[in-house]
Amino acid sequence: MAGGKASARQKMINLMYLVFIAMMAMNMSKEVLSAFGLMEAKFADSNEATIERNDKLLAELEGKADENPKEFKVPAARAQQVKIISDKFYKYIETLKRDLVKKGEYVLDEKGKLPFEAMDKTDILDELWFTGDRLTKKGDEVMTNINAYKKAVNDILSTDESYRGRAQAFEKTFSTEKVENKDGKKIDWLAYNYQGFPAIASYTKLTAMQNDVKVTESDMFSLFLGNIVSEATTLNNYKAIVLADKSAFFAGEKFQGRVVIGKYANVAPTKLVVQGKEIDLSKSIDSTGAATLDFNVGNVGEHDIKGKFTFIENGQELEIPIVNANYVVVPRPNSATISADKMNVVYRGVKNPMTISFAGVPDNKVSASASGLTKAGKSGKYTMVPTSGKEVTIIVSATLDDDSRVSDKATFRIKDIPKPTGQLAGMSNGKLPRANIAAGTVKAELLDFDFELPLSVTGFKVKVPGQPSITVSGSKMSGQARAAINKARRGDDVTIFDIKSRSSGPAIKPASPIVIELAN
């Protein structure tokens, strides 16, 4: 453009043109850098929200594991593994981001915001991670950590064939295969994504990788909970629904009905009428869109259920009638109803409330017997206090109107009182001032236990770093324990363990330890 044959005037015009283009490029660069900064901020906000959501999902899984260990103990354990793996890799990526900011000598403003438009250096990661066509020691470390994270997650996903779809999606998200550039040449994944890029672009990509980690964690928690939802069109979302011609059959009859493929519509109706009576929607519609019916069944015999749903579709009312619905009222019961009021197990040494009845038989003609079972006063109410063994069987008998007798039984598992949680100042671990620890009261709490069973701490042990363990009687620190705490240094962990307690009923296991960091 500025060749030797051009006139002086033409050379000057060409030079001005080059300066103009350079100025445009500088302005565009600032806009691009700022756009990367805005993207990074959005990823960071998303990460915070996902972390909070994941904590709730993990807590739900752990709660289900306590309620139903047979079904959820293994998924909850896998979720804990995923949590540890994800947190470790997430924190490692955070160190890479801090190194990038430190090497670039970037300073946050008073709002804690990065100087996006100034983060245009391309040589920071180039020097840290790359040397010619190879990776530096730091670059190898980055790839080692990525591959270690991938392997750890894949090891968990390989434990169950039903996780295959999630494993394939994970591999696609964290693929580190060579990438073809615009010239058709395949280059290493790390170089393709980070070599030669402005600092803010690399910083944003690292935050995006953290987002992938937390989204993967969320998907796996949902997978373990059984909440991964397929596409709406897949038949996996449908159920085989049996529609019987009537809801009860007498002995000797043939079953008559139909099987259809359908699914529940989670759409709120505007009106529901059953048996000529309008139903209160606020009390009868559940989260799946199903309506709960509650009406007197009437006399013995067959009865039809008539009514209709009313929905709004395209701005107009749409009525869907209830058809082919009926039920049968039968006079003779053939099975007992035995249920635990609070759970499907009974706890050793405490009063477990029970409801025991025989369908269609008054309470004064029903008798129930089992070790530790007594009447509780009200109709159908009993109290079970199991003492030994792993199971207890309740046998129920009833006398019918024709003086014939029927009987049934149910077996419940007997569980010990769960291990209590040790607490000081309402916490099991955390940070407290020295005086608060020395003056605090050690407690043993049965968290999430459905029975009132107050516990009294009778003794515990205290361990301060660099000093021998101290045995304490009662629930308050002894003089020796307070002296040891006063000798500890700020930041030391004071461990309270072997926390023994007693109840008004059964023996109680030692509570879990308490670890408190000295705040001063």
Side-chain angles (χ1 to χ4, degrees), residues 77-96:
R78 288 172 181 166
Q80 282 286 1
Q81 288 180 283
V82 172
K83 169 80 172 164
I84 294 169
I85 295 164
S86 299
D87 284 352
K88 180 180 178 181
F89 187 50
Y90 189 96
K91 290 175 182 176
Y92 175 74
I93 299 172
E94 194 65 31
T95 65
L96 300 179

Side-chain angles (χ1 to χ4, degrees), residues 328-344:
V328 176
V329 179
V330 295
R332 294 177 59 86
N334 54 20
S335 65
T337 300
I338 306 173
S339 64
D341 283 353
K342 295 202 172 186
M343 60 196 71
N344 63 345

Side-chain angles (χ1 to χ4, degrees), residues 189-218:
W189 177 87
L190 196 65
Y192 181 85
N193 283 278
Y194 292 96
Q195 191 171 26
F197 284 90
I200 184 59
S202 296
Y203 191 93
T204 300
K205 287 184 177 183
L206 290 172
T207 305
M209 188 185 296
Q210 287 178 314
N211 183 256
D212 288 337
V213 170
K214 286 302 170 183
V215 169
T216 295
E217 182 182 71
S218 176

Side-chain angles (χ1 to χ4, degrees), residues 166 218-230 237:
R166 180 67 250 158
S218 176
D219 287 346
M220 291 181 72
F221 287 176
S222 295
L223 179 67
F224 299 148
L225 275 168
N227 292 338
I228 295 296
V229 182
S230 303
N237 284 338

Side-chain angles (χ1 to χ4, degrees), residues 430-438 464-465 467 484-494 515-520:
K431 184 184 292 187
L432 285 173
R434 189 185 306 268
N436 292 46
I437 300 175
V464 176
Q467 302 182 53
I485 292 169
N486 288 332
K487 290 179 183 178
R489 297 173 299 178
R490 177 182 178 181
D492 278 353
D493 286 337
V494 177
V515 181
I516 304 294
E517 179 185 342
L518 278 173
N520 60 355

